[in-house]
Amino acid sequence: MGERKALLILHGKQAANEEVRAAVHARRAAGWELAVRVTWEGGDAARLVKEALAAGYRTLVAGGGDGTLKEVAEAMAKANTDASLVLLPLGTANDFARAAGVPLEPGAALALLDAPPSPIDLGDADGHLFLNMVTGGFGSRITASTSEDLKKVLGGAAYFLTGLTHFAEVHSAFGRFRGPDFAWEGEFLALGIGNGRQAGGGHPLCPQALADDGLLDLCIIPAPQDVVGTLGTLLSGGILGLEAVSVSARLPWVEVEAPEGLDLNLDGEPLESRRLRISARAAALSVHLPSDSPLIGSR
């Protein structure tokens, strides 16, 4: 039973979560030796990954929001480990987990410890790794400025309400995009470069993305004449209605150039850049996902 051993890296805000506690006890009762470590400040997740791998753990669990899952996944990939990862989504958006079919109930999520791991890709934005998606333009500023209290009360709808309050600030950005057999430049309202499918609390910017194809899905929403009306459609979940006017591609890498600078968001991590190369790091990490996960195309 020695292989049934794992370590849960839990976001500090979830330390008193009784559902998580019950789920951990249930896994232990099922024969798992499941240890728990709690984060306190920035950098803790990466440090705990390093310590867990050095201690011989072959399976880690990331418990928290999209940012925590991203931090643990990035630290594991940079360690070049063959250890596997279980996702315990405990945030407001849980964008990657929802798209991947990972249960949001802690007991069901931790039950994936018994599922076989699958190799998945990670995105690489000039050395910054991400699990889910890079977003840019107006939408990324909404995600960054939505308060924790509002997210706690309203969930994903908080992003929409924050967007309404920012209508006066809406303006497009100019960008140049280049990849294999792909080039586009112009004013755009929103940008998504996805390993996963959705961002910002459930908006499917890259609805066909797969996490195991060695490619990233690119979605550019060009700036229309009616910026506010289009943004309202976007924020209210009508992104699929914009497919006819969006620019999309599936690429192993894409270079983005924004002379005036661009505010980007990598799974919750803000990043400002004028020039960036974003690529897929194929089979960078083994993750325990449901057997029918929509993000796994090789099964």
Side-chain angles (χ1 to χ4, degrees):
M1 298 292 286
E3 74 278 1
R4 290 168 68 82
K5 176 181 174 182
L7 184 135
L8 164 60
I9 298 173
L10 183 65
H11 191 285
K13 289 184 178 180
Q14 301 294 332
N17 187 322
E18 290 300 325
E19 285 188 81
V20 172
R21 186 176 296 273
V24 168
H25 286 317
R27 285 300 95 201
R28 288 173 177 169
W32 277 88
E33 182 184 332
L34 181 55
V36 181
R37 300 290 183 270
V38 178
T39 64
W40 172 255
E41 58 192 349
D44 277 358
R47 175 180 58 80
L48 291 170
V49 166
K50 184 177 180 179
E51 292 176 358
L53 296 177
Y57 283 95
R58 312 307 309 143
T59 304
L60 303 184
V61 182
D66 291 319
T68 299
L69 272 52
K70 176 254 185 200
E71 288 179 41
V72 173
E74 179 177 33
M76 291 179 67
K78 286 186 173 181
N80 293 314
T81 180
D82 58 0
S84 59
L85 176 65
V86 171
L87 305 177
L88 175 58
L90 300 169
T92 302
N94 300 313
D95 281 310
F96 185 83
R98 288 180 188 273
V102 174
L104 301 185
E105 193 276 314
L110 283 186
L112 288 173
L113 280 164
D114 294 315
S118 300
I120 69 165
D121 312 330
L122 293 179
D124 185 334
D126 279 354
H128 298 266
L129 303 188
F130 60 94
L131 179 64
N132 186 45
M133 189 177 297
V134 172
T135 56
F138 180 69
S140 62
R141 290 197 294 278
I142 290 173
T143 302
S145 61
T146 301
S147 76
E148 290 298 321
D149 288 340
L150 196 60
K151 287 193 286 185
K152 193 177 299 182
V153 173
L154 297 175
Y159 298 105
F160 172 60
L161 293 181
T162 303
L164 293 178
T165 67
H166 283 68
F167 268 171
E169 303 172 19
V170 175
H171 64 278
S172 59
F174 176 82
R176 299 186 183 94
F177 301 83
R178 185 180 70 86
D181 299 317
F182 177 84
W184 186 89
E185 69 173 61
E187 297 282 334
F188 68 95
L189 186 61
L191 160 70
I193 302 175
N195 188 45
R197 295 183 173 182
Q198 62 185 51
H203 303 297
L205 280 168
C206 304
Q208 305 302 319
L210 296 172
D212 66 344
D213 60 355
L215 302 170
L216 295 171
D217 278 39
L218 169 67
C219 174
I220 304 167
I221 301 175
Q225 290 184 334
D226 180 14
V227 171
V228 171
T230 299
L231 183 62
T233 303
L234 169 64
L235 291 173
S236 62
I239 185 70
L240 294 179
L242 297 177
E243 283 189 323
V245 297
S246 65
V247 176
S248 60
R250 185 168 285 174
L251 305 165
W253 58 267
V254 61
E255 290 180 346
V256 183
E257 183 181 355
E260 297 179 6
L262 186 62
D263 293 319
L264 298 171
N265 189 293
L266 283 68
D267 294 359
E269 176 191 348
L271 182 67
E272 294 183 16
S273 182
R274 283 183 167 81
R275 188 180 186 90
L276 195 66
R277 180 184 173 99
I278 304 171
S279 58
R281 186 178 289 195
L285 189 63
S286 291
V287 180
H288 299 254
L289 295 176
S291 60
D292 58 351
S293 173
L295 291 185
I296 303 299
S298 60
R299 289 176 175 168

